[in-house]
C-alpha cells in the first residue's frame, strides 16, 4: 500500500511541475489533475498486485523507477491507464514482487509490449525479452524513450539495417514487412532483447 501511495504522490508532483513549466499556474493545475488520474491508477495497480517487494531489492527498484527512470514510469502509467480503460486486466500473480506491472492482454495478439515498468501481453516464453526493456529503461533513465524513438525514425528513413538484414530467411517483399520484419527487430533495444530471448519475426 505504501509503495502505491508514494508512487501516486510522486507522479502528481512530477506532472504538476511539468505543467507549471509549460503553462504557469493553469498548467500546474492541469498537470496535477492528469498526474492524479494516471498516478492513482498506477499506484492502485502497484499496491493491489504487490509489484514491489518490501526487501532491499524491491525498495531499490521502486527508488530507481521513481527518480532516475521516472519519465519511463510515467509514460508506462499512461500506457497502463489506457489498457485498463479498454477493460484489460492486471496479471497479479505475474506482477507480484516482480518490479513490473503485468497486464494480461496485449496491444496485439502477436506481440507483447513493454513501456516503462508496464508489460502487456507477455508470457513465460518471452518474459525475459520484455524484462530486458525494463532494465534498459532503468539503466538509461530519461534517455531511454528518446533514444528508442530516434532509432525508429533513423531506421525508417535511412534503413542501414538492409546492409546486414537476412534477406534470404526474412525477405522484405511488401510494405508492412518493411516495418515488422525490417525496422522493428533491428532497432537497438529490440536487437539486444532478441539476443537475450526470442526469435525476431520473419
Amino acid at each position: 500500500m505504501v509503495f502505491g501511495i508514494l508512487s501516486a504522490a510522486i507522479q502528481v508532483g512530477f506532472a504538476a511541475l511539468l505543467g507549471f513549466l509549460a503553462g504557469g499556474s493553469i498548467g500546474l493545475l492541469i498537470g496535477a489533475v492528469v498526474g492524479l488520474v494516471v498516478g492513482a491508477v498506477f499506484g492502485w495497480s502497484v499496491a493491489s498486485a504487490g509489484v514491489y517487494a518490501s526487501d532491499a531489492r524491491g525498495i531499490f527498484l521502486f527508488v530507481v523507477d521513481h527518480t532516475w527512470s521516472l519519465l519511463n514510469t510515467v509514460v508506462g502509467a499512461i500506457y497502463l491507464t489506457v489498457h485498463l480503460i479498454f477493460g484489460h486486466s492486471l496479471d497479479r500473480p505475474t506482477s507480484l514482487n516482480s518490479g513490473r506491472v503485468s497486464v494480461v492482454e496485449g496491444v496485439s495478439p502477436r506481440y507483447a509490449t513493454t513501456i516503462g515498468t508496464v508489460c502487456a501481453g507477455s508470457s513465460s516464453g518471452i518474459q525475459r525479452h520484455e524484462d530486458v526493456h525494463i532494465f534498459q529503461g532503468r539503466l538509461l533513465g530519461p534517455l531511454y524513450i528518446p533514444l528508442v524513438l530516434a532509432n525508429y525514425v533513423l531506421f525508417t528513413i535511412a534503413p542501414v539495417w538492409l546492409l546486414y538484414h537476412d534477406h534470404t530467411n526474412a525477405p522484405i517483399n511488401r510494405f508492412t514487412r518493411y516495418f515488422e520484419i525490417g525496422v522493428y527487430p533491428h532497432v537497438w533495444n529490440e536487437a539486444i532483447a532478441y539476443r537475450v530471448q526470442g526469435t525476431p519475426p520473419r
Side-chain angles (χ1 to χ4, degrees):
M1 178 65 78
V2 173
F3 285 133
I5 293 169
L6 283 175
S7 179
I10 290 167
Q11 292 188 61
V12 170
F14 180 70
L17 176 62
L18 289 182
F20 178 74
L21 294 174
S25 299
I26 294 175
L28 183 146
L29 181 61
I30 294 170
V33 170
V34 171
L36 179 61
V37 171
V38 172
V41 169
F42 188 81
W44 167 80
S45 300
V46 162
S48 69
V51 169
Y52 296 100
S54 57
D55 59 10
R57 177 182 178 273
I59 294 168
F60 174 75
L61 293 179
F62 179 86
V63 170
V64 170
D65 291 342
H66 291 82
T67 54
W68 171 243
S69 192
L70 181 57
L71 177 62
N72 301 312
T73 299
V74 169
V75 176
I78 295 168
Y79 177 60
L80 173 64
T81 302
V82 172
H83 270 285
L84 297 182
I85 287 171
F86 279 90
H88 296 176
S89 52
L90 293 177
D91 186 345
R92 287 180 173 82
T94 303
S95 300
L96 182 64
N97 298 330
S98 67
R100 72 176 115 74
V101 179
S102 295
V103 179
V104 175
E105 303 86 355
V107 175
S108 161
R110 293 190 60 195
Y111 298 105
T113 307
T114 297
I115 300 178
T117 59
V118 178
C119 180
S122 189
S123 66
S124 58
I126 58 169
Q127 190 57 62
R128 280 196 312 143
H129 175 110
E130 298 307 316
D131 287 344
V132 169
H133 295 317
I134 296 173
F135 175 76
Q136 291 166 338
R138 286 172 171 154
L139 181 65
L140 296 173
L143 302 175
Y144 176 67
I145 291 174
L147 286 173
V148 170
L149 292 175
N151 198 182
Y152 269 101
V153 170
L154 175 64
F155 276 13
T156 298
I157 62 176
V160 294
W161 50 267
L162 283 169
L163 298 173
Y164 53 88
H165 178 74
D166 183 357
H167 295 279
T168 302
N169 294 315
I172 308 295
N173 50 19
R174 62 180 184 273
F175 182 73
T176 55
R177 287 179 65 85
Y178 179 83
F179 294 98
E180 185 178 10
I181 311 300
V183 175
Y184 160 72
H186 290 99
V187 293
W188 70 269
N189 64 313
E190 292 297 344
I192 292 170
Y194 275 119
R195 285 181 184 170
V196 172
Q197 184 184 46
T199 303
R202 297 191 177 280

